[in-house]
Amino acid sequence: MSVLPLVFTSGWASGVNAYAVVLLLGLFGATGLSDEVPATLQRPEILITVGVLFLCEAVADKIPYVDSVWDSVHTVIRPATGAWVGAMLAGHSGSVSDLAAAVIGGSTALASHTVKAGTRMAVNSSPEPFSNFVLSTAEDLGVAGIVTLAIFHPWAAASIAGVLLLTGLAVLCFLVSRIRRFLRRRAQRREERRAAGAMPRRVAGAPPWPDRD
């Protein structure tokens, strides 16, 4: 059970920023600050890849509407990363089964990803763009702090991650109306783009469908 708090915390953090979790764990293991990190996460090619992806996410995550598209793409990636990291940590320590750790890491990552994606939809319903930057920066700092704490004080980090997860789910329930507003605005934007694409054809006097005679 010694690695279980780290599995839970890394799962929560993976749902927020999976690349940062893999990068931080790999660096902690490579520098010898932790013996809990498996060698696979410390490989240079892994660290370089997730480092580049982390930089991409750091930019995309701070741009309104782009962040929601990014979240949609990562609906599978973040939970899968949480499950993979959990299984790796369990297999390295031998304290819990790989399957159990994968379930814990993946389900926790899915829950925190849901909170993040829903919160971003609510924030994007606001006309000002600065809240995206502030929220994204807070998430990055929070993930870095929680993962670092988990290396040295795993149970304390797991407790904080659990409180943040429950709080996020509660807040998400209160933001349902703003999320619906965001979805309506996105659907309206699609209709406007579709209408704008059809306008030149009508102005030129062309029929809406090709003449089949």
Side-chain angles (χ1 to χ4, degrees):
M1 298 294 291
S2 61
V3 78
L4 188 58
L6 183 57
V7 170
F8 177 84
T9 304
S10 63
W12 172 84
S14 295
V16 180
N17 192 326
Y19 305 124
V21 173
V22 178
L23 180 62
L24 286 171
L25 290 178
L27 290 175
F28 280 125
T31 55
L33 293 175
S34 175
D35 296 329
E36 298 288 350
V37 181
T40 301
L41 298 179
Q42 305 176 33
R43 295 171 59 179
E45 61 270 27
I46 296 293
L47 294 177
I48 292 173
T49 301
V50 296
V52 172
L53 291 172
F54 168 75
L55 293 177
C56 294
E57 176 153 336
V59 175
D61 208 36
K62 295 174 176 58
I63 303 175
Y65 293 100
V66 175
D67 58 350
S68 290
V69 175
W70 187 270
D71 286 338
S72 299
V73 173
H74 286 74
T75 300
V76 175
I77 296 176
R78 287 170 182 160
T81 301
W84 175 65
V85 171
M88 294 292 294
L89 292 171
H92 177 69
S93 68
S95 58
V96 294
S97 70
D98 295 3
L99 179 60
V103 171
I104 294 172
S107 58
T108 307
L110 179 60
S112 60
H113 166 75
T114 302
V115 171
K116 173 176 179 171
T119 303
R120 288 309 180 87
M121 290 182 183
V123 169
N124 283 331
S125 66
S126 175
E128 50 82 24
F130 303 106
S131 53
N132 297 77
F133 181 86
V134 173
L135 186 58
S136 176
T137 302
E139 289 171 350
D140 294 341
L141 294 176
V143 167
I146 290 294
V147 172
T148 301
L149 182 63
I151 293 295
F152 302 101
H153 303 285
W155 283 106
S159 300
I160 295 174
V163 171
L164 290 175
L165 180 60
L166 293 176
T167 303
L169 291 172
V171 170
L172 190 61
C173 293
F174 289 101
L175 294 176
V176 171
S177 60
R178 299 197 67 175
I179 294 172
R180 290 175 178 171
R181 192 186 314 163
F182 166 82
L183 294 175
R184 286 196 299 268
R185 289 180 62 180
R186 188 168 65 175
Q188 183 179 359
R189 286 172 179 267
R190 290 175 181 170
E191 291 297 329
E192 290 175 352
R193 287 196 296 266
R194 189 178 296 112
M199 283 184 64
R201 185 184 183 94
R202 295 173 182 174
V203 170
W209 298 102
D211 189 3
R212 298 182 180 179
D213 294 335

